[in-house]
Amino acid sequence: MNITVVALGKIGLPLAVQFATRGHHVIGADVNPAVVETVNAGIEPFPGEEHLGEYLAAVVAGRSVNGAPAGRLEATTDTTEAVRRSEAVVVVVPLFVDAESRPDFGWLDEATRAIAAGLQPGTLVSYETTLPVGTTRERFLPMLEQGSGLTAGTDFQLVFSPERVFTGRVFADLRKYPKLIGGIDADSAKRGQAFYEQVLTFDERPDLVAAGSRPNGVWDLGSAEAAELAKLAETTYRDVNIGLANQFARFAATHGIDIHQVIEASNSQPFSHIHRPGIAVGGHCIPVYPRLYLWGDPEATVVRAAREANAAMPDYTVGLLEGVHGDLRGQRVLVLGASYRGGVKETAFSGVFATVAALRELGAEALVDDPMFRDEELTALGLTPYPKGAPVDAAILHTDHAGYRGLTSTDLPGVRTVIDGRGVLDGANWPGVTLRVLGRG
C-alpha cells in the first residue's frame, strides 16, 4: 500500500516506520520543515525511542529490517499531495486543551482540511489522535466530505483507532496490545480492520483468551464513538487511580504510615490495583484526556475530583518541604528533573513548572537539574539551570530518572532537607540530611 501518516511526532514517526517495516510505501507529512529534512536524512529527530534510529535509517534507505523485506519512507510538508498518492491515511496530529479544559482543534482542523483536499475515492482515513466522544463522526466526517466532494462510507472509509502505546517502547507496545477500531459504518470498520492487520504484527496473548477476552489483534468495537470512549476510559482510569493513591498518601503521612508499604500489601489481593502516588501527573495523555472526557460529560464528579487532586500535588509537596525545612525565603532549592517521567526528554504538562512556581511564590531560588536537557534548553523553558556542584539548601525529587536513584548527600553540597516526590531515593545515602518521602510518615 501507499500510506500517509500525518504528523511525525513521538507517536506518528514510529507508526510510519512500523508501516514501512511491513513492506509498505509510507509518506510522512509534517508542517515542520526541519522535521521533514531530518527524517529524509534517516536521522531520528528526538531521542529515547527504542529501535527508532536503526529502523528509520533502514526504511529511508530502502534496506531490510531484521532480515525482513521493508518498504520505503519519505517525508514531506505537502499533506494534500501525500494524501492524493495514498490508499490509507493515518492522522496523529496532537489535540491540545486550553486553561478552561476546552479542546483546541486548530491543528487537527487544518490537517483535516489538507487531507480533504487530496482525498481520493477508495481511501481509508483513520484518526489515531485521542478525541472527545463523537468527534470523528460529528466534526471530521463533514469536514472531509465538504473538502473532498466525496461521501463518507460510500466514496471513502473513516475509522477511529486510538494509539495505545508508551513513548520509549512504541514498537513493543504495537505488538503487545490489541488494536482497537471503530468505524462510521460497517464497511469502514471492515476496511480499517484489514488495514491494521496488514501493517501491524501481534504477539500471541493466551492470557487474553484465558481471561475470557478475544485473542490479540484488531478489535472492532462497533462504532467510532465506542473506540473514542475506550481510549478516554483507559487513560481517565489511570488519572482517577493516581488521584486516589495521592489522597491515600496525604492521609497516611499525617498518621505516621508508609503508604508505599500499604499499597504493596493491598495489591497482593487480585482485585486491588492501586497505582503509585507522586508529586505530579504529566505528559500528553493522563493530565489531558480526563479533561477531554469532562468536556463531553461535565457531570463526572469522580473524574473532576481526581484531576483536581493530582493537579494540587506540586503545591502540596512544596508545602511539605516548607513544613520540614522552615521558611524558604532566600533558600536555594534544587528541583531534580524537568521531564514529566523518568527516561524521557519531554516536559508536556510536567509538574516541574508548578513546583518551581510554588517555590518562587514562597521566595525561594528554584534551580532545576535534568540529565536529558542542556542548560540552554532549560532556560528556554523558563527554568533556571543548576550549576553542577553548587551548594543548595534543599532539594525536591520531581522526576524518577534512573540516574537519580543513586544520589547521595555528597552530590548536593550543603543540602539539609530533601523531599522525595517519587519514593525512589535510598535513605542510607543521606546521612545528616532530613529526607522525607511523599506518602511516608
Side-chain angles (χ1 to χ4, degrees), residues 171-296:
F171 295 106
D173 284 354
L174 286 172
R175 297 178 63 96
K176 182 177 182 180
Y177 303 123
K179 185 62 173 161
L180 310 181
I181 67 159
I184 54 126
D185 57 22
D187 286 344
S188 292
K190 184 177 179 180
R191 177 80 184 281
Q193 184 163 6
F195 167 75
Y196 281 110
E197 287 173 346
Q198 286 182 272
V199 298
L200 300 178
T201 303
F202 297 98
D203 292 334
E204 290 188 17
R205 292 284 302 277
D207 58 311
L208 292 175
V209 178
S213 193
R214 290 173 279 182
N216 202 7
V218 184
W219 294 9
D220 177 12
L221 298 190
S223 70
E225 290 77 11
E228 289 166 337
L229 180 56
K231 175 62 177 182
L232 293 179
E234 67 185 35
T235 48
T236 299
Y237 160 79
R238 293 172 64 193
D239 196 45
V240 171
N241 196 318
I242 295 168
L244 182 63
N246 280 329
Q247 291 201 332
F248 285 160
R250 294 175 68 157
F251 176 79
T254 64
H255 287 74
I257 298 170
D258 181 350
I259 195 59
H260 300 274
Q261 183 184 57
V262 168
I263 290 174
E264 181 184 9
S266 298
N267 289 352
S268 66
Q269 203 264 12
F271 302 108
S272 180
H273 306 282
I274 305 170
H275 291 355
R276 290 175 59 85
I279 181 175
V281 177
H284 292 284
C285 300
I286 303 180
V288 177
Y289 300 157
R291 291 191 278 174
L292 295 181
Y293 179 81
L294 285 166
W295 189 66

Side-chain angles (χ1 to χ4, degrees), residues 99-116:
E100 282 72 43
S101 296
R102 295 171 302 195
D104 180 357
F105 291 104
W107 286 10
L108 266 168
D109 285 350
E110 183 178 348
T112 298
R113 285 189 285 267
I115 292 166

Side-chain angles (χ1 to χ4, degrees), residues 304-317:
R304 190 176 306 280
R307 182 86 296 275
E308 291 172 354
N310 290 335
M313 290 306 292
D315 276 345
Y316 167 79
T317 306

Side-chain angles (χ1 to χ4, degrees), residues 10-243:
K10 293 191 175 182
I11 304 299
L13 181 57
L15 268 184
V17 170
Q18 165 67 31
F19 300 161
T21 66
R22 295 282 287 165
H24 304 284
H25 175 243
V26 183
I27 309 171
D30 199 282
V31 295
N32 187 335
V35 169
V36 168
E37 181 179 355
T38 303
V39 170
N40 280 331
I43 301 170
E44 56 182 333
F46 46 81
E49 186 59 56
E50 188 177 17
H51 300 304
L52 179 60
E54 58 181 294
Y55 292 174
L56 174 63
V59 296
V60 167
R63 301 194 305 268
S64 65
V65 176
N66 294 332
R72 288 291 302 271
L73 172 65
E74 60 179 294
T76 179
T77 56
D78 191 341
T79 300
T80 297
E81 180 57 29
V83 171
R84 190 173 285 122
R85 297 164 53 192
S86 298
E87 300 153 62
V89 180
V90 175
V91 187
V92 206
V93 177
L95 174 62
F96 298 101
V97 178
D98 65 20
E100 282 72 43
S101 296
R102 295 171 302 195
D104 180 357
F105 291 104
W107 286 10
L108 266 168
D109 285 350
E110 183 178 348
T112 298
R113 285 189 285 267
I115 292 166
L119 198 58
Q120 301 296 302
T123 303
L124 168 72
V125 180
S126 175
Y127 282 87
E128 292 213 11
T129 303
T130 304
L131 301 172
V133 173
T135 304
T136 303
R137 189 185 307 272
E138 297 169 11
R139 187 182 191 92
F140 295 135
L141 185 156
M143 291 179 68
L144 290 170
E145 289 186 331
Q146 183 178 3
S148 67
L150 303 175
T151 301
T154 301
D155 300 320
F156 69 94
Q157 282 71 50
L158 177 61
V159 300
F160 178 79
S161 180
E163 56 85 5
R164 308 179 74 207
V165 296
F166 210 58
T167 54
R169 63 182 199 207
V170 171
F171 295 106
D173 284 354
L174 286 172
R175 297 178 63 96
K176 182 177 182 180
Y177 303 123
K179 185 62 173 161
L180 310 181
I181 67 159
I184 54 126
D185 57 22
D187 286 344
S188 292
K190 184 177 179 180
R191 177 80 184 281
Q193 184 163 6
F195 167 75
Y196 281 110
E197 287 173 346
Q198 286 182 272
V199 298
L200 300 178
T201 303
F202 297 98
D203 292 334
E204 290 188 17
R205 292 284 302 277
D207 58 311
L208 292 175
V209 178
S213 193
R214 290 173 279 182
N216 202 7
V218 184
W219 294 9
D220 177 12
L221 298 190
S223 70
E225 290 77 11
E228 289 166 337
L229 180 56
K231 175 62 177 182
L232 293 179
E234 67 185 35
T235 48
T236 299
Y237 160 79
R238 293 172 64 193
D239 196 45
V240 171
N241 196 318
I242 295 168

